[in-house]
Amino acid sequence: MSYQAEYLCSVERPAHFWAEKAEALPWYKQPQDILSQDNEGIYHWFEDGEMNTTYMAVDYHVDNGRGEQLAIIYDSPVSNTKSTLTYRQLQKQVALFAGVLKSQGIGKGDRVVLYMPMITEAVIAMLAVARLGAIHSVVFGGFAPHELAVRIEDAEPKLIVTASCGIEVSKIIEYKPLVDEAIALSAHKPNCCIVLQRPQVTAVMHASNEIDWHEAMAAATPAPCVAVKGTDPLYILYTSGTTGKPKGVVRENGGHAVALKYSMSAVYNMQPGEVFWAASDVGWVVGHSYIVYGPLLHGCTTVIYEGKPVRTPDAGAFWRMVDEYRVNALFAAPTAFRAIRKEDPQASEMNKYDISTLKTIFMAGERLDPPTYLWTAEKTGKPIVDHWWQTETGWAICANPMGLEEMPVKPGSSTLPTPGFNVKILDSRGNELPPGQQGAVAIKLPMPPSCLTTIWGDFERFKSGYLSDFPGYYCSGDGGYIDDDGYVYIMGRTDDVINVAGHRLSTGEMEEIIAAHDAIAECTVIGVHCPLKGQTPVGLVLLKDGVDIDADELQKELVAMVRKEIGPIACFQRAVVVPRLPKTRSGKILRKLLRQIATNQEVAVPSTIDDPGSVAEIESIMQAQGLVSDRAT
Ligand code: COA
Ligand code: AMP
């Protein structure tokens, strides 16, 4: 079917469109109530359907002839390990681990936090939680104990699953002490902690409620799949908002399964049995959707890679993987390809491998800058797809729909709205803007299946953060425009969220940490252009009167504070002391204006500014400090 016909049907007759797509999945009870609204007016999909996501992703395939096909390929250059699991082996492991969880009292609706490195057991644990109708919340291993504690306190898990360590290139990161610290910091205490001991480190077990993964598995009885409703939550995934408190995006089982299954063919052009590799981490939404659920729901083989695009051991790592596992589609962040290009500009490492099985390379997590697009397209000779999405949606809002109709590429654009997403550009009053004009990127309600329906424990924040700015629309938090051909250009966040190496971080959270330093009167954190990571955070700090502190020493202390509180993943490395910050008369720092200076855009000075002279001053400081850059276009 042509893209246009498919798209029109999806926005004009959404219930009809998605009812048909839902038929591609093995429900226990096929949904009849396709699209409904609750008392608050929030849309839900497949409310009366009965299902189990793990059954759909694993057991169903074993029952239908895929038992001997590889479900998971694990490749870890950092631990020098490779292994595989067929669907049948995966089913056995998942059922056993579900048995372990069940014996610890985990059942439908209970939360389980996973703090795991990129190993097969992370996927087994996710699927085991889902098998019981419980709710997982995976926390990325690069987050520090404080961040983990905030998530534990919010999700209130009965149980935590972790491993003895993660491995960052050659650095061993012991996880258990981080988990212990997080539990100590959190007001909520889980009943139990299951620890997978890896060969590199043996974690010290302290309490009677700490359980060894292998011992528990050896004694476990397999647990069957538990039926849930289409609208029951599958997982909570925390993402950065504009404040220090992360937002727990809630994903419902039914919509998630239907959207991901559809995306595997419509967006990624994958056939069951093919090999899909998302080079991300299970701690991010890309990992949830396209390392774990999407490929398995579609009967594909998925790849778990514990390594980096470079340094493990070289810039040929991605191409080696494609060759060795006959990968058909590769999905990674643009920053990964910038890292490869930096080390191997001629792509001579690539020429050592056979990448002929690769049909398409997909990129997301940040805008695919045209130079990176052009380099990757030229060197690989493959179609390159930039697609735009968010933790909140769980799948692509805009993409080149490779399985429907390959559209001509326009570098810098994430192509066209994916079927189901009615994308509009709005001005500040909510009026639709004509082609070419930049504004807020919004999605007309109802959103398609899989998109969030609330923030865990904070429905008001969901409403005020996403649905209040433009009634009848979901506000994405991104700015951009649509051209005459309907192509969507996402130009960056309009709020205080930045994107560092494809990771979403809150500048507000960093500001809260920096403001706690004794010497600091006020501060703001902005994202500045970084040729490798897209953006990196920089603090602009104002000292308290009378404070005399060496700027380098202060920077060191602030860097250490952010690293301790958020983790190394924040990549906070610079703090610049400034004499004052531009503010409104009511004392609010003009962050938008600072963002405009940093990206060399025309600066809109609001009439409410307190001291107009502060703008020229901060502009010249930022210029002198190398904090101003045109974004690559
Ligand atoms: N556990 C613990 N620490 C971690 C971690 C994890 N899972 N992941 C990253 N870190 C640490 C790194 O060791 C590094 O620490 P350091 O400051 O002590 O060196 C810091 O966090 C920053 O990591 P990273 O941003 O990964 O930088 P890098 O220089 O190690 O690698 C890239 C640069 C571009 C290769 C890397 O960022 C990359 O591969 N990015 C792709 C991101 C991605 O897949 N995003 C998902 C969206 S699709
Ligand atoms: P996350 O929720 O971590 O996936 O981050 C989502 C944010 O990353 C979006 O709101 C965008 O700002 C940015 N983003 C992700 N993919 C793209 C893309 N293809 N083009 C532009 N921005 C993107």
Side-chain angles (χ1 to χ4, degrees), residues 365-367 386-391 478 490 493 499 504:
E366 54 170 321
R367 176 171 176 266
D386 175 17
H387 58 329
W388 169 57
W389 51 300
Q390 306 182 311
T391 304
D478 281 305
I490 301 299
R493 299 287 305 189
N499 208 300
R504 177 165 156 186

Side-chain angles (χ1 to χ4, degrees), residues 115-118 140-143 166-169 171 173 175 178 278-281 284-287 307-311 318 331-340 362-366 389 499-504 532-533 563 567-571 573:
Y115 187 69
M116 302 281 275
M118 277 293 289
F140 176 63
F143 281 125
I167 309 168
E168 274 291 296
V169 188
K171 218 173 14 179
I173 296 161
Y175 276 21
L178 304 179
S280 179
D281 188 290
W284 305 115
V285 68
V286 173
K308 300 257 176 185
V310 293
R311 295 185 286 141
F318 273 23
F331 179 167
T335 186
F337 291 91
R338 288 197 297 270
I340 295 171
F362 296 89
M363 299 205 209
E366 54 170 321
W389 51 300
N499 208 300
V500 181
H503 306 138
R504 177 165 156 186
L532 175 64
K533 298 191 177 183
R563 204 178 161 91
I569 202 69
C571 296
Q573 275 151 6

Side-chain angles (χ1 to χ4, degrees), residues 590-625:
L590 289 163
R591 292 180 170 77
K592 186 172 173 194
L593 181 145
L594 293 168
R595 276 202 300 271
Q596 288 166 339
I597 297 174
T599 47
N600 211 8
Q601 293 173 47
E602 200 175 315
V603 175
V605 181
S607 56
T608 52
I609 192 156
D610 183 39
D611 177 1
S614 61
V615 177
E617 182 183 74
I618 196 81
E619 209 165 354
S620 81
I621 294 172
M622 286 171 67
Q623 284 282 6
Q625 293 283 337

Side-chain angles (χ1 to χ4, degrees), residues 543-612:
L543 299 183
K544 285 182 183 157
D545 284 347
V547 166
D548 182 20
I549 184 167
D550 176 67
D552 285 347
E553 191 48 41
L554 176 66
Q555 178 170 276
K556 240 188 246 164
E557 288 173 18
L558 296 176
V559 167
M561 283 168 79
V562 174
R563 204 178 161 91
K564 177 166 186 312
E565 293 290 307
I566 299 181
I569 202 69
C571 296
F572 181 82
Q573 275 151 6
R574 276 192 79 187
V576 175
V577 177
V578 296
R580 57 188 165 160
L581 286 162
K583 288 203 233 168
T584 61
R585 280 192 285 277
S586 59
K588 272 177 79 174
I589 296 172
L590 289 163
R591 292 180 170 77
K592 186 172 173 194
L593 181 145
L594 293 168
R595 276 202 300 271
Q596 288 166 339
I597 297 174
T599 47
N600 211 8
Q601 293 173 47
E602 200 175 315
V603 175
V605 181
S607 56
T608 52
I609 192 156
D610 183 39
D611 177 1

Side-chain angles (χ1 to χ4, degrees), residues 239-240 284-286 334 363-368 385-393 397-398 412-414 474 476-479 489-495 497-499 502-505 631:
T239 190
S240 300
W284 305 115
V285 68
V286 173
M363 299 205 209
E366 54 170 321
R367 176 171 176 266
L368 173 56
V385 172
D386 175 17
H387 58 329
W388 169 57
W389 51 300
Q390 306 182 311
T391 304
E392 287 83 345
T393 63
I397 309 164
C398 288
S413 166
S414 43
Y474 163 88
S476 73
D478 281 305
Y489 292 74
I490 301 299
M491 303 309 291
R493 299 287 305 189
T494 53
D495 56 13
V497 167
I498 59 170
N499 208 300
H503 306 138
R504 177 165 156 186
L505 298 166
R631 63 177 302 154

